[in-house]
Amino acid sequence: MSALLALGLIAAISTSTTYLPVAQEPGQRLALHCVAPAHANGQSVLFVHGASFPTMLAFGFEFAPGDSWMDFMARQGFLACGLDFLGFGASSRPAAMAGAAEGAAPVTRAAEAAREIATAIDYLQRERGMGHVHLVAHSWGTIPAAAFAATHPGALASLTLFGPVVPKPGEKAEPVHAAWWTITAEARYQQLRFKDVLPPEQSLLEPAVAQRWAARFDASVPHIEGDKPGDLRIPAGPAADIEAVAASGNYPYNAASIKVPIFVVYGDYDTVTNDAGAAAFLAKFTASPLRWRMRIDHGTHVMHLEHNRRSLYQGVDAFIRAANTVQP
């Protein structure tokens, strides 16, 4: 117990899941996972995930009982919530996910995901009484998160973009036309290790990820009869958005119209974001009253699953507290 207390951990905090109807998609519902604080500060943090795995494999993944990023933020007094976009985690699967991959447009594009963020934030404000909502997005999720911020002035207290998608000069992009794509849980876990990027002697993933992550990812996605054993269907909309940014450098929002504090944070081994790309990206947010950029060394694109994750947690918490001092 003393070791847990030294890390700021106590008994596990329970996570509750609320299912929200999607106005634009009758019969579909969004899963919003929340950890309530013991001593509430009246504010909420909403996490939105990246292109391939959902909230409870990311911000809600427990490395030990009561030890997740959502738990950490709850202990700081925030109502900590994570949204599963349609097609991911505990949210509904659109009909196109059950058909042939080539039979429909890519599922869950950024514009749709931004509307889903709006649904979650409306719930937090109206039903949970959250006057201040801080949005924290990872990877592809930074695209719909910023799109939401651009079209909903006054809805957010701050916007954190962790490992945002930035254009890579000279990188070729292939258009995405399929509704979904597949990967096995084990293959996705192997990608998380970033063995082709890290020095041969370096391993950054937390031990709990090696022990439990792949099995939980496999359990989070329905297995479709007729698919190859172990194949998991993943919405292709995020991949289409990422390829569009890589190809043109254009985002589906106007960064200059976003007027909330902005934080761009990434690891030195991030393959999606680098120093030059992050600096150029952040410079587009000209109307933001507070702009932070931080690189955390010894971190990859999935730093929230790695040894230095607490530096990420604490960095984001510090930014949110600084953002709270900025006059609107």
Side-chain angles (χ1 to χ4, degrees):
M1 179 61 72
S2 59
L4 290 178
L5 291 174
L7 294 173
L9 304 179
I10 54 176
I13 304 175
S14 62
T15 302
S16 63
T17 301
T18 300
Y19 294 96
L20 307 174
V22 183
Q24 302 83 5
E25 299 284 346
Q28 299 289 302
R29 63 181 193 170
L30 297 168
L32 183 67
H33 311 278
C34 293
V35 179
H39 305 287
N41 62 14
Q43 302 183 52
S44 179
V45 174
L46 175 64
F47 292 97
V48 295
H49 61 76
S52 60
F53 53 91
T55 289
M56 300 310 289
L57 273 298
F59 322 104
F61 182 79
E62 287 192 319
F63 302 88
D67 181 14
S68 73
W69 194 350
M70 286 169 57
D71 292 327
F72 174 86
M73 295 308 293
R75 290 195 176 93
Q76 314 316 306
F78 298 94
L79 173 63
C81 299
L83 176 66
D84 286 340
F85 291 112
L86 285 182
F88 292 91
S91 289
S92 298
R93 265 55 183 177
M97 294 291 293
E102 293 73 25
V107 171
T108 309
R109 295 296 301 264
E112 303 159 25
R115 290 193 291 268
E116 294 167 19
I117 292 172
T119 297
I121 289 180
D122 182 69
Y123 165 80
L124 291 172
Q125 292 174 335
R126 292 178 181 271
E127 302 297 327
R128 303 297 292 265
M130 296 293 112
H132 285 73
V133 178
H134 302 272
L135 186 55
V136 178
H138 176 229
S139 191
W140 162 77
T142 63
I143 301 176
F148 169 83
T151 54
H152 293 77
L156 297 177
S158 73
L159 177 62
T160 294
L161 306 175
F162 160 40
V165 178
V166 301
K168 299 288 180 64
E171 185 171 299
K172 294 183 179 179
E174 296 292 335
V176 176
H177 300 294
W180 47 267
W181 57 283
T182 63
I183 193 169
T184 66
E186 177 61 24
R188 187 67 186 98
Y189 161 70
Q190 292 298 333
Q191 291 175 350
L192 300 182
R193 299 176 67 189
F194 284 97
K195 293 182 68 174
D196 57 337
V197 174
L198 295 173
E201 72 283 357
Q202 194 161 28
S203 176
L204 297 180
L205 286 177
E206 288 274 38
V209 178
Q211 294 161 6
R212 301 191 303 273
W213 193 91
R216 293 189 179 182
F217 185 32
D218 186 76
S220 76
V221 181
H223 290 255
I224 307 298
E225 186 176 355
D227 285 353
K228 293 180 180 178
D231 272 1
L232 308 178
R233 295 189 179 189
I234 310 297
D241 292 329
I242 292 169
E243 294 300 338
V245 169
S248 66
N250 295 322
Y251 295 85
Y253 59 85
N254 178 11
S257 68
I258 298 176
K259 299 180 180 180
V260 298
I262 302 285
F263 183 29
V264 172
V265 57
Y266 55 99
D268 60 336
Y269 286 110
D270 198 316
T271 55
V272 176
T273 310
N274 55 28
D275 288 335
F281 175 74
L282 184 58
K284 297 178 185 294
F285 295 86
T286 54
S288 172
L290 178 68
R291 293 186 293 177
W292 281 22
R293 176 168 65 93
M294 182 170 72
R295 185 190 72 195
I296 299 175
D297 283 1
H298 305 297
T300 74
H301 192 60
V302 294
M303 186 165 35
H304 51 334
L305 300 177
E306 297 174 343
H307 298 312
N308 275 346
R309 59 191 174 88
R310 291 189 183 86
S311 293
L312 177 62
Y313 300 176
Q314 292 162 355
V316 172
D317 181 51
F319 165 72
I320 286 174
R321 295 182 188 280
N324 281 334
T325 68
V326 175
Q327 295 297 319

